[in-house]
Amino acid sequence: MEQVQVPPTLALALVSVATGVLSPVLGKLSTLLENKYSSLTGVGDEILELQDELSSMNALLLKLSDIDDLDIQVKEWRNQIRELSYEIEDCIDDFVHRVEQRDPEKRKKMKGFFQESIHKLRTLGARSEIASKILKLKARVDHASERRKRYNFDGVPSSSSMVVPIDPRLPALYAEAESLVGIDGPRDELIERLAEGEANLVRKLKVVSVVGLGGLGKTTLSRQVYDRIGRQFDCRAFVSVSQKPDMRKILRNILTSVTGIEHYPGIEACDEEQLINKLRGFLNDKRYFVVIDDIWSTVAWPTIRCALLENNLCSRILTTTRITSVARSCCSPDYSNVYEMKPLSDINAGKLFAKRIFGSEDQCPSQFKDLSNDILRKCGGLPLAVISIASLLASKPCTKEQWESYRNHIGSALEDVPSVSNMQKIISLSYNDLPHYLKTCLLYLSMFPEDFVIPRDQLVRRWIAEGFISTCGGQRLEQVGECYYNELINRSMIMPATQEWDRRAVFCRVHDVILDLIVSKSAEEKFVTAVGNNNHTLGPQDKACRLSLDCRDQDNIVVSSSMVLSKARSFSIYGSSEHTPLLSDFQALRVINIEQNRKLENHYFDDIGRLVQLKYLTLQEVNISKLPDQIGELQQLESLELRWTGIKELPKNIVRLKKLKFLYASNVRLFEGIGNMQALQEVRYVKVDSSIPTTSLDELGNLAELRYLGIDWLVSDSSSDQKSYTDSFVSCMDRLCRFKLRYLNIACDVENGISLDFLLDSWSPPPCLLENFVMRSAYYFPRIPEWASLLSNVTLLDININPVRPEVLQVLGCLPSLLSLSLYTREVAPGATLIICSSGFQCLEEFEFYSWNIAMGPLVFEVGAMPKLEKFVFRLVARCIESPCGNFYLGLQHVRSLKHLLVDIDCRGANAEEVQITEAAIKNATDLTINHVRIDFSRLWMDQMAKDDDAGGMEGSEHRGGEGPAESSTKILLQQHFKIFPV
Ligand SMILES: *[C@@H]1O[C@H](CO)[C@@H](O)[C@H](O)[C@H]1NC(C)=O
Ligand SMILES: *[C@@H]1O[C@H](CO)[C@@H](O)[C@H](O)[C@H]1NC(C)=O
């Protein structure tokens, strides 16, 4: 076979979808040639030969991956080579491990193995049929590579010092897309459709069903309707159904939503029938509104419908689906309630498109007008298609040639009919356009279950553990991984699930249309095997390179016993399973992720020490209470997370983990020997109490790489040696801050008389370099600590102070870098009014103000206050609205930049009307701001609300539909209870 030149990416030795582990194998072969091993192997010649063969294959595989319609034989050939790469890697890893353990017995076997591999490779390469096919492909391969080169698709992964932030146009774009999908037109039409009949006192239940293609924005639209009218009902729920629906889960979700009880007692054990009965019992006398999003089959509907009973109280159900027959069966027999969702108009699609690429809706240069119209026509008004293609174009230099080439790829200009398949073409165009390293990272998302909110940091660490990421500049792997993540967001392949204060999107989701593509690609590439509902298996069933099990809804999911797991690199399981595959079936795992599994026992991990390549171990909501001492054998382990497990103590051998960077172990005491773990960058939630020696705190202070520390302070104020602990802690902090510590999260056990008072004055020198300071418990500083004014680098501050006096805001207002402030208090100092004036808080974007015991009253924004504030979160106590402290005066209209208001309403002791009045008052207040402010209410403790003793309550509910008498009486009540803004 012809020698192909090895591309520079090879030097980075990445694991990838295209080449499996070939690249790292090449790197490892070179290591074997080094002195340390070569005398042991005696197979120098074989290694050189193997390297030769493998590097040409590697290059060819990379090129083949640019062609999407390979024929079966070529695919098979490709798969065999990848498989072989895994075998070779395992063999080398094993060898190196043994050499390091001084166990030379392996040598003979090595020689035989290499000779065999070379032979296999040669036959694979030489089989004449394949060889001629590949020759023919070569022309196309070269063409594809040429194109990639021309557009600079590939390059080297953003290494060096380039940082990829999330495109600042994106948050605005998603907001825009939402408003284009729903506002005014369709949303109001749907609301009207739902309200029909109410006026004539028709009390029958009504079902309206939205039908339309995937990517059209059905979920967005129904969410808008839900937000707009949901609160007019006695109870409500918004529930998503997946393609493989699990009825119990859906019914449980409806039940927890309508009742507002998060942990409904005994609900896990209920079967379908019991759940239906509970729901019917609860809904019997309540006017309800339930949205069932994305129903896939007519089979699921009758069960749901059975639980949502006809109670003749004007209840409403809204369903969405892609399938017309499903929509009709939902509404049956009243087919006029099928609402066909329309695509975006040409004008709106154009706006969205231009906004994504040029940052403003009317800035499309004239020479691009025709091209953009062509492209938009193919999008068929589907917002998801518009955003995807626009994100693709935005990532490229803006040239006519480029645009033409993409237009031609979506399909011929003649077929003008917008269709689902255009959507798929666009999505797969976006996919094919990704550089290899991003394809790999993206396909890895098929390890997560459907509808999953994926935490960024865990995802990035798993990428790293799998070897998808490398770095050659000074950047840390985690930083490079975050750049990849942001690139995927910028290309609209994944969506930010929440917007955090610093816009870093720490959680993401995948649109189900895109997930379909990811899952099918990764099955086709034999990249991931995913087993889910009803034992349904996607991807290779004979051998798994990566195995993911979703048992969240069924505990009898079984992995076929003939599946070979010994080569698997990642193993994830979500939910409790009766049949969790045994760790002894695996040999090459890099990643173990076990979540929500209540059936595992301690002995499951007995053998874990065998998995010497393991780099990432996460157990979340797993019942085990102990890890074996063998954990110390895992010399490659970099990340160990134990969240909500029963583990209270780590095995002694933990301190042997010299490469461990991330340790998350809530509930665990700080331990002796931690000073040996010099690679540690994050240590979260260790307990410090007086049973540990103070020398452990001294050891902690030696961790020169530590960036993040989370501590639970449990040393009692009254204990005799408290001073020696606090002194050690303060000196430990001082040293850590001089090294790399930038994030501190601290809590204490207030109920047992423990406080952080010692930090008030004696924190010296103060931690001036901290960027984040977070307090987590019910402890309140009695005044603002002296050092607070010195935190000049702090961007996020979450602090408890009680009582809050005006000077607190003065001090905090002067912190020059502060972006996000959460201020918790029990009460504002009596008689004080907190005034936020125009001089402080110049860059603050997010402000959370929580006061527990009173309604918010005396917090006033003056003209020009918090000029950058976008998000304001506060808590109101609904019960208090009748008390004298309820003078509701915020001056919110003075916060010109405000976009989002989140209000937690404490419903305890209040009746339904009081809660409604409180919400109305806030809405009323925001009407006076200049922006369109989004408001989200959360009603807390709804189960502790006062019952209406008013027997006419039922009649009242008739009016709640809209602009009826209820509205005006609310206004009167408002004027009685609130001082509305002076005009
Ligand atoms: C999966 O397969 C096993 C064995 O074939 C069977 O016992 C189990 O009930 C199946 N589970 C589901 C949810 O179908
Ligand atoms: C933040 O810390 C750095 C040192 O790491 C220092 O150079 C810089 O001046 C600090 N910034 C502010 C705003 O104090």
Side-chain angles (χ1 to χ4, degrees):
M1 192 177 303
E2 198 186 332
Q3 191 76 34
V4 190
Q5 228 207 319
V6 178
T9 36
L10 200 62
L12 295 161
L14 293 176
V15 176
S16 80
V17 176
T19 63
V21 293
L22 262 183
S23 308
V25 161
L26 284 167
K28 287 178 179 180
L29 286 173
S30 305
T31 325
L32 284 190
L33 288 172
E34 288 165 13
N35 282 339
K36 180 171 163 200
Y37 301 105
S38 61
S39 61
L40 284 169
T41 55
V43 286
D45 290 344
E46 282 86 350
I47 289 178
L48 283 173
E49 246 178 284
L50 195 57
Q51 250 186 336
D52 227 31
E53 291 283 344
L54 287 177
S55 39
S56 55
M57 303 235 168
N58 192 52
L60 190 58
L61 283 183
L62 269 181
K63 289 187 168 185
L64 285 180
S65 74
D66 296 337
I67 298 180
D68 22 327
D69 53 344
L70 292 179
D71 88 18
I72 293 192
Q73 255 178 325
V74 177
K75 277 188 186 162
E76 185 52 30
W77 174 82
R78 182 192 63 183
N79 291 342
Q80 284 172 351
I81 293 188
R82 281 186 207 152
E83 245 169 56
L84 192 60
S85 75
Y86 282 98
E87 254 170 69
I88 301 176
E89 182 175 50
D90 288 349
C91 175
I92 300 175
D93 287 343
D94 189 37
F95 174 76
V96 170
H97 178 68
R98 277 166 200 267
V99 170
E100 264 148 27
Q101 308 283 305
R102 304 189 204 303
D103 172 8
E105 163 261 337
K106 192 73 186 169
R107 173 179 156 181
K108 270 236 178 60
K109 272 199 202 150
M110 271 307 259
K111 188 162 181 133
F113 177 79
F114 281 139
Q115 280 163 348
E116 197 186 313
S117 300
I118 293 167
H119 179 71
K120 264 198 213 166
L121 274 171
R122 293 232 164 103
T123 27
L124 273 175
R127 283 228 309 272
S128 63
E129 223 180 323
I130 288 286
S132 73
K133 249 191 199 139
I134 288 177
L135 223 55
K136 275 197 209 127
L137 268 174
K138 192 145 184 335
R140 286 178 60 200
V141 166
D142 288 344
H143 179 73
S145 326
E146 196 45 40
R147 205 184 110 226
R148 289 188 85 86
K149 228 182 278 156
R150 190 148 26 107
Y151 298 134
N152 195 17
F153 285 172
D154 237 354
V156 173
S158 31
S159 54
S160 63
S161 59
M162 209 176 93
V163 174
V164 182
I166 292 177
D167 192 325
R169 287 169 294 191
L170 274 174
L173 181 84
Y174 283 111
E176 175 81 13
E178 276 189 25
S179 67
L180 286 179
V181 165
I183 238 135
D184 305 335
R187 185 195 64 200
D188 292 349
E189 249 175 79
L190 254 186
I191 290 176
E192 212 168 282
R193 192 77 71 93
L194 284 162
E196 268 165 27
E198 233 168 281
N200 310 333
L201 298 180
V202 178
R203 291 162 148 262
K204 260 176 71 95
L205 169 72
K206 177 169 182 175
V207 185
V208 173
S209 187
V210 180
V211 62
L213 301 176
L216 200 48
K218 295 183 295 298
T219 304
T220 308
L221 178 62
S222 48
R223 178 61 72 184
Q224 286 176 2
V225 170
Y226 183 76
D227 287 347
R228 182 54 75 108
I229 62 168
R231 275 183 299 276
Q232 297 166 5
F233 294 78
D234 297 337
C235 60
R236 59 200 158 125
F238 189 106
V239 177
S240 293
V241 182
S242 68
Q243 277 190 50
K244 295 153 265 153
D246 173 59
M247 289 320 301
R248 280 173 54 210
K249 181 176 155 202
I250 295 166
L251 295 171
R252 278 201 304 262
N253 287 348
I254 300 177
L255 190 61
T256 47
S257 284
V258 291
T259 56
I261 302 172
E262 200 156 317
H263 299 287
Y264 197 95
I267 190 173
E268 294 296 325
C270 289
D271 63 17
E272 225 171 79
E273 195 182 324
Q274 288 167 318
L275 287 167
I276 290 176
N277 287 336
K278 275 189 198 301
L279 265 170
R280 291 179 68 96
F282 182 82
L283 295 177
N284 185 37
D285 57 351
K286 297 184 187 64
R287 180 167 180 251
Y288 63 84
F289 179 47
V290 174
V291 180
I292 309 284
D293 188 34
D294 215 7
I295 303 188
W296 279 85
S297 78
T298 44
V299 180
W301 176 245
T303 313
I304 298 176
R305 184 63 183 75
C306 176
L308 302 177
L309 81 172
E310 168 65 88
N311 56 11
N312 283 312
L313 288 171
C314 255
S315 296
R316 294 291 183 257
I317 302 173
L318 181 64
T319 66
T320 76
T321 177
R322 298 184 195 176
I323 306 160
T324 309
S325 60
V326 174
R328 289 170 65 86
S329 88
C330 290
C331 299
S332 174
D334 192 356
Y335 299 132
S336 66
N337 286 333
V338 173
Y339 180 89
E340 218 167 295
M341 194 165 169
K342 288 172 211 64
L344 291 181
S345 66
D346 291 351
I347 291 176
N348 283 342
K351 276 188 190 169
L352 197 58
F353 184 75
K355 199 153 188 173
R356 175 68 184 99
I357 302 180
F358 306 106
S360 129
E361 54 190 51
D362 38 38
Q363 267 183 8
C364 187
S366 57
Q367 71 269 30
F368 287 104
K369 274 269 149 54
D370 288 345
L371 272 168
S372 89
N373 287 341
D374 281 357
I375 291 173
L376 281 170
R377 202 162 37 237
K378 294 177 197 295
C379 294
L382 299 178
L384 181 65
V386 176
I387 291 176
S388 299
I389 188 81
S391 296
L392 178 59
L393 292 171
S395 71
K396 296 285 153 25
C398 193
T399 68
K400 270 187 102 160
E401 193 202 8
Q402 181 102 53
W403 283 41
E404 271 161 11
S405 133
Y406 284 114
R407 179 197 56 193
N408 300 340
H409 268 81
I410 310 175
S412 88
L414 292 174
E415 43 165 346
D416 263 357
V417 196
S419 66
V420 195
S421 76
N422 270 352
M423 172 88 223
Q424 276 154 355
K425 275 185 200 149
I426 287 169
I427 305 270
S428 66
L429 185 64
S430 300
Y431 171 79
N432 288 332
D433 189 73
L434 295 175
H436 295 129
Y437 61 92
L438 281 184
K439 278 184 186 158
T440 307
C441 291
L442 182 67
L443 291 200
Y444 192 74
L445 292 168
S446 54
M447 289 293 288
F448 294 87
E450 208 182 329
D451 291 331
F452 206 74
V453 174
I454 303 168
R456 180 198 58 202
D457 291 346
Q458 287 185 16
L459 177 64
V460 168
R461 280 175 208 163
R462 287 168 72 166
W463 286 343
I464 293 173
E466 280 261 6
F468 300 160
I469 293 179
S470 69
T471 168
C472 45
Q475 276 185 305
R476 292 181 301 125
L477 284 170
E478 290 74 25
Q479 286 170 315
V480 178
E482 197 174 311
C483 289
Y484 289 9
Y485 176 91
N486 290 348
E487 278 186 62
L488 288 174
I489 286 186
N490 290 345
R491 287 164 175 260
S492 299
M493 300 308 281
I494 58 180
M495 303 183 283
T498 54
Q499 285 289 333
E500 292 294 299
W501 60 276
D502 60 355
R503 301 191 185 291
R504 292 200 312 162
V506 295
F507 293 96
C508 72
R509 277 187 301 122
V510 185
H511 192 287
D512 39 15
V513 172
I514 295 178
L515 187 66
D516 286 349
L517 171 98
I518 293 177
V519 167
S520 75
K521 285 276 179 206
S522 96
E524 182 192 320
E525 299 279 354
K526 297 185 180 280
F527 191 64
V528 168
T529 300
V531 187
N533 277 6
N534 303 324
N535 292 335
H536 185 77
T537 305
L538 279 161
Q541 318 219 350
D542 51 344
K543 266 178 227 172
C545 282
R546 290 167 193 83
L547 178 67
S548 176
L549 261 66
D550 181 5
C551 322
R552 288 172 305 167
D553 307 320
Q554 292 171 329
D555 56 10
N556 55 352
I557 302 290
V558 175
V559 174
S560 147
S561 57
S562 61
M563 193 184 293
V564 175
L565 300 176
S566 58
K567 301 266 171 285
R569 267 37 183 180
S570 272
F571 168 49
S572 269
I573 175 166
Y574 299 87
S576 301
S577 170
E578 300 279 1
H579 311 277
T580 307
L582 298 177
L583 286 188
S584 53
D585 294 339
F586 297 94
Q587 278 167 22
L589 283 179
R590 270 63 174 165
V591 172
I592 297 177
N593 186 86
I594 302 180
E595 286 185 36
Q596 302 170 31
N597 193 320
R598 297 293 182 194
K599 295 201 169 132
L600 281 193
E601 292 177 21
N602 291 348
H603 63 75
Y604 182 81
F605 294 96
D606 280 354
D607 255 357
I608 198 167
R610 280 188 325 109
L611 300 172
V612 291
Q613 301 298 331
L614 197 68
K615 294 191 164 172
Y616 178 102
L617 173 60
T618 287
L619 308 178
Q620 180 162 323
E621 294 177 70
V622 176
N623 274 3
I624 64 161
S625 58
K626 196 165 179 288
L627 282 176
D629 234 14
Q630 270 203 13
I631 198 101
E633 306 295 317
L634 305 177
Q635 287 297 306
Q636 304 298 323
L637 199 65
E638 295 183 348
S639 179
L640 175 62
E641 296 195 28
L642 308 167
R643 297 171 185 255
W644 301 297
T645 66
I647 298 171
K648 298 239 162 58
E649 205 171 344
L650 295 171
K652 287 254 176 320
N653 268 342
I654 197 90
V655 301
R656 290 186 50 213
L657 301 178
K658 294 281 182 356
K659 290 198 181 162
L660 198 69
K661 291 192 203 165
F662 305 97
L663 175 62
Y664 186 115
S666 41
N667 266 329
V668 165
R669 275 199 199 91
L670 186 64
F671 46 91
E672 278 178 85
I674 194 169
N676 293 330
M677 303 168 79
Q678 281 292 323
L680 280 174
Q681 295 180 9
E682 292 193 17
V683 173
R684 293 207 192 196
Y685 313 128
V686 286
K687 292 180 175 174
V688 175
D689 62 20
S690 26
S691 75
I692 61 160
T694 54
T695 50
S696 296
L697 279 167
D698 300 339
E699 284 192 60
L700 185 65
N702 290 334
L703 297 177
E705 294 299 318
L706 201 68
R707 302 171 51 78
Y708 190 115
L709 177 63
I711 282 243
D712 283 350
W713 187 257
L714 302 174
V715 180
S716 164
D717 290 12
S718 56
S719 80
S720 56
D721 45 6
Q722 193 231 11
K723 177 118 176 50
S724 68
Y725 281 96
T726 57
D727 287 351
S728 297
F729 178 71
V730 168
S731 114
C732 158
M733 284 303 299
D734 177 35
R735 272 179 296 151
L736 288 177
C737 282
R738 280 193 239 180
F739 293 132
K740 296 193 173 154
L741 192 75
R742 297 297 174 263
Y743 306 86
L744 177 67
N745 184 315
I746 189 163
C748 66
D749 182 5
V750 181
E751 271 150 41
N752 287 315
I754 296 166
S755 78
L756 297 175
D757 284 345
F758 71 96
L759 286 183
L760 263 179
D761 303 308
S762 69
W763 202 345
S764 147
C768 298
L769 292 178
L770 281 186
E771 290 166 16
N772 285 13
F773 177 81
V774 173
M775 283 171 75
R776 268 179 305 122
S777 54
Y779 167 78
Y780 295 82
F781 285 127
R783 58 184 157 78
I784 185 145
E786 297 279 330
W787 44 263
S789 63
L790 302 174
L791 299 176
S792 59
N793 268 353
V794 89
T795 53
L796 182 146
L797 182 64
D798 183 337
I799 193 168
N800 305 343
I801 301 175
N802 185 57
V804 171
R805 296 197 171 79
E807 63 265 26
V808 169
L809 291 175
Q810 266 151 31
V811 171
L812 299 180
C814 292
L815 296 177
S817 313
L818 194 61
L819 296 177
S820 170
L821 170 65
S822 300
L823 180 58
Y824 283 66
T825 183
R826 284 181 180 282
E827 57 198 349
V828 175
T833 297
L834 300 179
I835 294 176
I836 298 175
C837 56
S838 61
S839 60
F841 298 109
Q842 290 304 300
C843 49
L844 196 74
E845 291 175 0
E846 190 175 310
F847 180 32
E848 200 173 323
F849 183 75
Y850 258 51
S851 144
W852 288 88
N853 287 346
I854 57 155
M856 181 144 85
L859 179 72
V860 178
F861 293 92
E862 284 193 339
V863 177
M866 296 189 176
K868 298 263 171 60
L869 189 71
E870 293 190 1
K871 186 165 153 191
F872 181 37
V873 185
F874 63 97
R875 170 186 296 255
L876 274 180
V877 183
R879 184 193 62 240
C880 283
I881 56 165
E882 277 174 314
S883 75
C885 62
N887 56 338
F888 184 82
Y889 180 74
L890 284 164
L892 269 181
Q893 77 273 30
H894 294 142
V895 187
R896 313 294 278 185
S897 49
L898 193 67
K899 293 197 177 124
H900 193 180
L901 204 56
L902 281 108
V903 191
D904 281 356
I905 307 225
D906 179 344
C907 300
R908 281 176 296 183
N911 62 31
E913 190 161 41
E914 285 171 319
V915 174
Q916 278 172 6
I917 290 171
T918 312
E919 290 178 353
I922 294 161
K923 272 199 173 342
N924 205 311
T926 56
D927 284 347
L928 293 162
T929 58
I930 48 171
N931 301 319
H932 170 71
V933 177
R934 176 174 152 202
I935 313 178
D936 287 318
F937 293 106
S938 305
R939 294 180 174 186
L940 307 180
W941 293 293
M942 275 179 74
D943 51 330
Q944 294 176 43
M945 277 173 70
K947 288 269 168 284
D948 273 332
D949 18 64
D950 167 18
M954 217 80 271
E955 271 147 42
S957 64
E958 255 172 38
H959 302 301
R960 281 181 211 158
E963 306 292 314
E967 189 88 348
S968 54
S969 70
T970 304
K971 281 229 175 77
I972 295 167
L973 274 165
L974 272 176
Q975 277 154 12
Q976 285 167 0
H977 292 306
F978 301 104
K979 206 161 28 161
I980 304 196
F981 305 102
V983 202

